[in-house]
Amino acid sequence: MTSGASAAEPRVVTERQFLDELASVTRERVATQFLYLMAQEGAVVGVQWEQPGVDHLRRYRVRDACPHCVVLAAVVTLAPVLPLDGLRAGRARPQYETVLRAGRLPHLAFARPAGPPGASWLGDCHAVDGDPHSDADCPRHAVPAPTGDPLALRPGSLPRAVRELYPNDGAATADLARRLRIAQDWRADAQAVASGIREAAATWAFLRNSCVLGVPVPGANGLVLTLPPGRPPDDRPLGELHEATVRALPSGGGPVPYQELACLLPEPASTTQRMPTYAGAVDLTAAAPVRTLRLPTPRRPLSTTGRGVLLLYEARHAMGRHVASAQVRDSAYWDSEAALNVFEFTLLERVAGRHYQEAVAAYLQALRREGDLLTRPHKVLDRRRRKALSLAFGGLDDEELHLWASVAYRNAILELLGDLKAFATHLRLQAG
């Protein structure tokens, strides 16, 4: 059931009036289980409080501020009211603006946790079809949907520092062409998985619009050169870029924000490593930290569906990292890890369907029977279920089959616990 307020025309208010009303209504509606802050077409901001049996929607047009700035200011206002911890409040902006740059309507979603009162609410950002831009947008947010491909390169205009990594320009062009094909293949697999899955839209937008090609600097672990398209070639030598980066970064090693873009680091050399990995690095091109996604070229490739799921998982991981600093493994960190697992479970439920769900059900039944974690989880799936799970991915070797079976086992543990907070505690304990 939806209240009559949902059909009303947007109320015209000031930013101060909007934020004050948002805080007061949220405090009054103590039974709210889900709260949405939604950019809507025509510079309208929608707020929906969902309670058992009733959804209360109000729509606003803020006359003195950019609607997107207003939504992000609303997150700050809600942080002490819901409450939201610093991790979830902090990642709202990059997630929101990633969806915005994709030319879609960002809908921030917050959910009451099942834990004790006062625990931080959970948060996410959905991408909804529609035009998010209007004349009310500020210069930062008046960004049209991208038309170019961030992986588009013109080999004839390579920066000098990149050319210095190779014996000659021909070797540079050939190697970068190989790297580009690897990145495009991985990204195509992620697109195939994300297609039609609402929960993956923002992550795919990040991969498609914010990830450029990068190359590692040999012999210098953690240093890369990014290649954003359309940028004039930089004529500075590698040594000069390195010196400029040392001067730009704080000497004390304090936290420094990552760039908005991230980079894909394809690895042309054949390796036993099969899965993509996320890591932080320093980009000498911009003299700033950058998030990287390493894309291996294994001797035994994973299934295309498996590659897509794993790249989306790691891209989601990268989206949640905003500052280059040592990760503190506090409760917020483990809550984030739990949410990342749920994202992976959602992808697998959609792409592997009932065969994945049957595997989860088999593990759940075994967990209930044993009353504890399984001593031999690899014995749970019989031949029929293993074959069915393999066919859901188009055929798997034993190693990859074990990978997805272990994910199904984790999914079953979440279902047994029935609570994301308890699942976060489980992950922390398992990590030792």
Side-chain angles (χ1 to χ4, degrees):
M1 178 171 67
T2 303
S3 74
S6 63
E9 285 296 307
R11 287 180 50 220
V12 179
V13 295
T14 65
E15 181 179 17
R16 185 70 268 156
Q17 289 171 329
F18 169 77
L19 295 176
D20 289 345
E21 184 169 314
L22 173 68
S24 64
V25 174
T26 302
R27 288 192 182 96
E28 291 169 5
R29 295 184 170 272
V30 294
T32 298
Q33 295 180 328
F34 300 94
L35 192 154
Y36 295 89
L37 294 172
M38 303 172 289
Q40 299 180 336
E41 293 187 306
V44 172
V45 176
V47 183
Q48 182 157 305
W49 296 265
E50 292 190 3
Q51 300 173 279
V54 60
D55 299 343
H56 182 75
L57 172 66
R58 294 189 185 184
R59 302 172 70 237
Y60 303 86
R61 184 173 285 110
V62 180
R63 65 172 183 260
D64 61 345
C66 162
H68 307 295
C69 291
V70 166
V71 171
L72 296 171
V75 175
V76 176
T77 297
L78 286 172
V81 178
L82 290 178
L84 291 174
D85 60 31
L87 175 69
R88 292 184 179 87
R91 73 185 179 192
R93 177 183 289 274
Q95 288 184 339
Y96 185 96
E97 292 181 343
T98 294
V99 174
L100 189 62
R101 285 193 297 273
R104 306 183 75 187
L105 294 166
H107 284 192
L108 291 171
F110 302 100
R112 182 188 294 276
S120 175
W121 281 44
L122 309 178
D124 202 354
C125 185
H126 304 307
V128 178
D129 290 336
D131 184 2
H133 297 295
S134 72
D135 293 340
D137 290 4
C138 68
R140 176 183 175 91
H141 293 126
V143 181
T147 56
D149 186 341
L151 291 185
L153 291 180
R154 291 184 298 160
S157 60
L158 295 176
R160 176 178 171 179
V162 173
R163 298 200 308 270
E164 287 181 5
L165 303 180
Y166 301 90
N168 54 62
D169 285 356
T173 300
D175 183 66
L176 290 174
R178 285 194 297 271
R179 291 178 185 273
L180 187 59
R181 284 195 299 272
I182 295 167
Q184 289 170 334
D185 287 347
W186 274 95
R187 200 179 65 173
D189 291 340
Q191 181 181 15
V193 169
S195 179
I197 301 178
R198 179 185 179 189
E199 294 87 347
T203 310
W204 165 243
F206 172 78
L207 264 176
R208 169 60 180 81
N209 303 317
S210 300
C211 293
V212 301
L213 189 69
V215 290
V217 177
N221 189 35
L223 296 183
V224 301
L225 292 166
T226 58
L227 293 163
R231 181 179 294 175
D234 194 324
D235 199 42
R236 290 176 295 170
L238 184 62
E240 186 176 325
L241 290 181
H242 188 276
E243 291 173 1
T245 300
V246 172
R247 290 194 301 268
L249 296 178
S251 58
V256 182
Y258 281 122
Q259 300 176 64
E260 286 190 2
L261 62 78
C263 77
L264 302 178
L265 288 179
E267 298 175 337
S270 182
T271 176
T272 57
Q273 172 65 30
R274 306 181 77 186
M275 298 191 291
T277 54
Y278 159 76
V282 174
D283 174 19
L284 298 184
T285 306
V290 66
R291 296 160 292 176
T292 71
L293 294 167
R294 291 185 175 269
L295 309 177
T297 306
R299 288 190 284 271
R300 291 188 302 126
L302 295 166
S303 65
T304 56
T305 298
R307 282 162 45 108
V309 170
L310 289 168
L311 182 52
L312 287 167
Y313 175 90
E314 293 299 341
R316 187 77 163 193
H317 192 177
M319 287 174 66
R321 300 292 180 261
H322 312 303
V323 177
S325 62
Q327 189 71 42
V328 178
R329 295 200 166 193
D330 56 10
S331 61
Y333 169 86
W334 291 111
D335 287 349
S336 178
E337 288 296 298
L340 190 61
N341 274 260
V342 171
F343 175 71
E344 185 177 32
F345 301 158
T346 301
L347 294 180
L348 290 168
E349 286 173 1
R350 302 294 176 82
V351 299
R354 64 182 180 85
H355 299 307
Y356 172 75
Q357 293 166 354
E358 286 176 358
V360 174
Y363 282 113
L364 182 58
Q365 184 180 34
L367 285 165
R368 286 172 172 160
R369 184 171 58 246
E370 293 201 15
D372 202 348
L373 295 181
L374 305 179
T375 55
R376 296 193 297 173
H378 60 284
K379 296 290 187 181
V380 169
L381 300 186
D382 57 25
R383 179 178 296 180
R384 181 190 67 80
R385 288 194 177 97
R386 288 172 62 85
K387 182 178 180 181
L389 185 59
S390 176
L391 291 176
F393 287 82
L396 302 174
D397 59 31
D398 288 344
E399 184 180 353
E400 188 177 354
L401 180 60
H402 176 73
L403 167 66
W404 300 121
S406 68
V407 176
Y409 177 37
R410 268 187 282 123
N411 196 343
I413 292 171
L414 171 61
E415 291 199 15
L416 181 70
L417 295 171
D419 174 59
L420 204 57
K421 198 75 175 178
F423 183 59
T425 300
H426 162 78
L427 295 176
R428 176 178 60 80
L429 294 173
Q430 290 300 300

